[in-house]
Amino acid sequence: MTPYARRGVHGQTVEALARRILGGRIPEGATLDLVALQSELDVSLTALRESLKVLAAKGMVDARQKRGTFVRARADWNLLDADVLRWQFEGADEATDADRTLLRNLAEVRAIVEPAAVRLAAERRTDADLAALEAALEAMGAQGTDPAQAVDADLAFHRALLTATHNELLQRMEMVIEPGLAHRDRIVHSHPHSEDPVPAHQAVLDAVRDQDAQAAETAMRALLAQAGRDLDRIDGPADGGPDDTKGTGGK
């Protein structure tokens, strides 16, 4: 599904409502006061209803006669939707407890998807795929790369790996992985004591270039383990239990 594009007042209204729901300011089961929201957000009732249709399509709200428009249970939300993921992370400067939980969930997804995907990439990569991976790695290691550029380079590398699988469904996994990866990267790359990401990514690229599927998987697992160490060094293990994220990409 193509991410929802921000379009003027309509896009801003969708995102404002989504973040209130995702952040718990409008709790599950709550009935929305459309008149109050219209006044508070300074939008027309038509614009508000159109915005709610977007959230309804993502499973976040619904409407019933006599009850009105209400927030659905979180179990009904499309948490794999790229916008829902992005709205939860965008604008955060550090990992909150809620972010940590979602980051751990995404890390587990990455640990399942990326090692298997990189095996296919090693077997199927083309010269164009290698060129895309090399360009991303070069950007990642460029002297003076600022945090935003480092994030973009990392995203480009992992996107190129999924593209190199030449599996359309795996390629679409970028929409699930990228929002959480971008958020993790923003935290890590703004911290002075994170490990250099280039050698771990270089090992993945070398194995893919050599078409060594087993080495590629091993290198990817090492990369994900480093990702977990970086975030744990900054944020510490999650409260209430052992650090079960090390070796799986952590956050």
Side-chain angles (χ1 to χ4, degrees), residues 134-155:
E134 289 166 355
L137 187 60
E138 182 178 356
M140 193 182 304
Q143 290 272 341
T145 299
D146 67 29
Q149 291 174 324
V151 171
D152 288 344
D154 192 30
L155 295 179

Side-chain angles (χ1 to χ4, degrees), residues 61-162:
V61 301
D62 202 353
R64 293 284 187 272
Q65 286 188 349
K66 298 184 179 179
R67 181 175 180 181
T69 302
F70 62 94
V71 178
R72 299 178 66 180
R74 183 180 177 87
D76 296 326
W77 301 352
N78 184 0
L79 295 177
L80 292 180
D81 180 272
D83 292 317
V84 176
L85 287 167
R86 176 175 61 82
W87 289 330
Q88 291 184 85
F89 287 129
E90 198 169 70
D93 293 324
E94 58 185 16
T96 65
D97 289 342
D99 290 341
R100 289 167 65 95
T101 297
L102 189 57
L103 283 167
R104 286 197 300 274
N105 290 341
L106 279 168
E108 290 173 355
V109 171
R110 290 185 67 197
I112 293 167
V113 172
E114 291 194 282
V118 79
R119 291 185 70 96
L120 291 179
E123 295 167 355
R124 301 174 178 177
R125 96 295 185 276
T126 64
D127 290 343
D129 294 326
L130 289 177
L133 287 165
E134 289 166 355
L137 187 60
E138 182 178 356
M140 193 182 304
Q143 290 272 341
T145 299
D146 67 29
Q149 291 174 324
V151 171
D152 288 344
D154 192 30
L155 295 179
F157 186 92
H158 289 271
R159 189 183 307 118
L161 277 178
L162 291 175

